[in-house]
Amino acid sequence: MSLSRRDILLASGTVALASAAPLRAAAQDHSGHVMPATPSPAPTARSPTSAAPAVPRDARYAPVRTLNGWTLPWRMNDGVKEFHLVAEEIEHEFGPGSRATCWGYNGSTPGPTIEAVEGDRVRIFVTNRLREHTTVHWHGLILPNGMDGVGGLNQPHIRPGETFAYEFTLRQHGTHMYHPHADEMTQMAFGMMGLFIIHPRGGEAVRIDRDYAFLLHNWALHPGTWRPDPAVMVDFDLWTFNSKVFPAIEPLVARTGERVRIRMGNLSMWNHPMHLHGVEYVETGSDGGRWPQSQWRREVTSIVGVGQMRDIEFTAVPGDWALHCHMAHHTMNAMGHEVPNQNGVDQTGVEARIRKISPGFLPMMRNGMAEHQEHTDAGHQGPVNTMPMMVGKGQFGNIEMGGMFTVVKVRDEPVSPGVDPGWYRHPSGALASRISDDPNFGSPPRRMA
Ligand SMILES: [Cu+2]
């Protein structure tokens, strides 16, 4: 068997601090550039380090909670609701131990969520603090052609240092998105995207108690590097809700009996079958806005295709319920996808020889991969700036997830968004438990070849 050093590194999760260090030095060599000055017509831009500023109250709707994110403040100017987006380079943390230089809006990826009401006239300033041109496309919105934001086709590009104003009236309601339509492949791969939520003018047909929103995305942040690689088409390293991986994604909290809506948009390069445990939810809307109630349908998994949005709604049932993409590789963090399959391979003898070229090597995948999390728990580290493939602790042990996974936490007691209520306490008799440790227990039917 021939294994390259990189294969061994990826397969074993072996630390190689010395060899990865030069990568860090190269990736961080970006600090000296000078950003263009910013004209600032609306008071809403913020520095990356400041706390999210207060959003004015609009009594006509209950605001959404953008998981791990924030909502863009606005101001009224002669009957027009004014927002200000700033396209810029940012430092971002995907989860503990994984950071990168990304691009986003107003200091974050995704950019802040824009919220408004059907019928509103909006004016959105876009300042470009990148070192290349950009535009913003308002994905799914019905608007004049010249406001659609396709660089070269509908408008001149917004060059570095320039500010453009987009202005239109919102003629629909639903879950929408914004993203660049200039060097789109690169700018989205670096994290430029955001949610655009339009609330119905006449209020909700069915009252919503909790309204959550997130964007699905993928990143080629290769192990030991500090910048996403925009050239990758299919083999990504990180799978995120609002640019965070589990366990850094905040739980979605609700109180028993409340009606919960989850809005999911996909600006990644894969389709994601999003699966929620514990309830039969109804799909109530998509890219085209809210569906008539006669078209709502019961599901437990919804494919959110590339460029699509899905709204789901359900009545909260007590427990800790997993919410995740059902593509099993999308609930993992960075891993080697092209390593030889060592499942069932007797590695006795090979192990000692590999250790001579890679001290600390640990064979993995002999009896499945769960041992990977035990290795990282025991202090064996992977490449620098790289989270373990599977992480997370529950009250019963390792959760062995990463990427697109979080928990819907429903409690009988009051709960607050952003405050983790801890683990669910199961009623007696309602928890699976061991009744034997004898492999020959019982006489179940088995089909033997
Ligand atoms: Cu997925």
Side-chain angles (χ1 to χ4, degrees):
M1 177 169 63
S2 87
L3 281 177
S4 72
R5 184 176 169 79
R6 178 179 156 82
D7 287 341
I8 293 166
L9 202 76
L10 293 173
S12 66
T14 302
V15 69
L17 285 166
S19 64
L23 280 169
R24 175 172 204 161
Q28 287 188 328
D29 187 24
H30 65 264
S31 52
H33 69 259
V34 178
M35 300 308 297
T38 318
S40 188
T44 49
R46 63 166 198 161
S47 77
T49 51
S50 64
V55 180
R57 285 280 301 154
D58 186 327
R60 294 174 295 171
Y61 64 87
V64 295
R65 181 163 180 93
T66 308
L67 283 194
N68 297 88
W70 59 298
T71 299
L72 187 61
W74 44 268
R75 71 175 183 193
M76 290 307 294
N77 183 359
D78 204 13
V80 180
K81 214 174 239 185
E82 285 184 343
F83 300 86
H84 191 173
L85 290 174
V86 180
E88 59 188 345
E89 187 167 286
I90 54 167
E91 296 299 318
H92 176 72
E93 183 179 88
F94 294 95
S98 181
R99 303 183 63 83
T101 301
C102 301
W103 292 1
Y105 296 96
N106 304 53
S108 66
T109 171
T113 297
I114 293 174
E115 272 188 275
V117 180
E118 185 180 10
D120 281 353
R121 180 91 179 159
V122 298
R123 183 179 300 128
I124 307 170
F125 300 107
V126 177
T127 297
N128 182 9
R129 290 176 63 95
L130 299 171
R131 283 168 289 166
E132 74 165 352
H133 64 217
T134 190
T135 65
V136 179
H137 165 59
W138 315 100
H139 183 115
L141 268 58
I142 306 306
L143 35 60
N145 188 237
M147 296 292 166
D148 198 42
V150 180
L153 176 67
N154 305 130
Q155 67 163 90
H157 293 96
I158 310 172
R159 290 178 302 193
E162 292 181 343
T163 296
F164 271 45
Y166 294 86
E167 184 168 333
F168 43 89
T169 300
L170 303 177
R171 308 205 172 277
Q172 64 205 107
H173 66 264
T175 305
H176 305 284
M177 312 188 275
Y178 64 87
H179 63 81
H181 226 298
D183 192 13
E184 183 174 343
M185 180 193 83
T186 305
Q187 296 192 2
M188 291 207 295
F190 288 170
M192 294 181 74
M193 55 188 65
L195 285 151
F196 199 133
I197 308 290
I198 308 173
H199 297 279
R201 193 189 339 230
E204 299 286 353
V206 179
R207 196 175 77 107
I208 300 293
D209 300 302
R210 308 268 176 178
D211 202 349
Y212 291 102
F214 57 88
L215 289 172
L216 304 163
H217 198 31
N218 48 218
W219 306 74
L221 184 67
H222 306 313
T225 69
W226 271 261
R227 289 222 185 222
D229 176 357
V232 168
M233 192 165 66
V234 288
D235 205 1
F236 294 96
D237 299 290
L238 294 174
W239 306 90
T240 56
F241 296 171
N242 282 349
S243 305
K244 292 281 187 184
V245 295
F246 178 76
I249 301 168
E250 68 173 65
L252 288 71
V253 300
R255 200 170 177 186
T256 305
E258 286 181 333
R259 188 167 180 89
V260 181
R261 177 193 289 143
I262 304 176
R263 308 167 184 257
M264 301 173 285
N266 182 3
L267 287 174
S268 80
M269 296 297 111
W270 281 86
N271 298 334
H272 301 289
M274 296 300 299
H275 177 54
L276 174 60
H277 296 207
V279 292
E280 264 183 342
Y281 60 73
V282 279
E283 280 191 7
T284 58
S286 74
D287 323 42
R290 183 58 35 80
W291 296 339
Q293 219 158 322
S294 59
Q295 289 177 20
W296 294 5
R297 63 165 189 267
R298 298 207 163 275
E299 296 285 0
V300 294
T301 303
S302 297
I303 295 183
V304 188
V306 177
Q308 287 188 326
M309 289 143 277
R310 285 288 180 274
D311 294 350
I312 67 171
E313 295 177 22
F314 57 93
T315 301
V317 177
D320 286 339
W321 303 110
L323 168 65
H324 62 96
C325 176
H326 220 291
M327 301 267 276
H329 289 74
H330 296 183
T331 54
M332 294 286 114
N333 294 324
M335 57 183 286
H337 297 122
E338 286 162 9
V339 294
N341 183 3
Q342 295 158 65
N343 210 359
V345 174
D346 179 1
Q347 297 185 21
T348 324
V350 180
E351 200 174 323
R353 285 161 64 194
I354 294 175
R355 280 215 185 99
K356 285 180 189 161
I357 47 169
S358 180
F361 167 76
L362 277 174
M364 201 179 77
M365 209 160 63
R366 289 170 300 188
N367 305 302
M369 280 195 169
E371 60 185 357
H372 178 72
Q373 190 166 347
E374 290 159 23
H375 290 167
T376 52
D377 285 350
H380 296 278
Q381 293 179 332
V384 288
N385 198 40
T386 304
M387 287 179 72
M389 179 180 84
M390 49 174 72
V391 284
K393 297 243 177 263
Q395 58 179 321
F396 303 112
N398 290 341
I399 297 175
E400 295 159 357
M401 289 273 130
M404 292 178 163
F405 179 94
T406 191
V407 183
V408 176
K409 295 191 169 191
V410 181
R411 300 291 182 269
D412 294 335
E413 300 79 38
V415 286
S416 303
V419 180
D420 190 331
W423 301 115
Y424 181 61
R425 293 218 304 276
H426 300 263
S428 72
L431 175 65
S433 59
R434 179 174 57 223
I435 58 159
S436 170
D437 57 7
D438 174 6
N440 294 316
F441 172 77
S443 43
R446 299 158 72 205
R447 296 185 68 177
M448 309 299 282

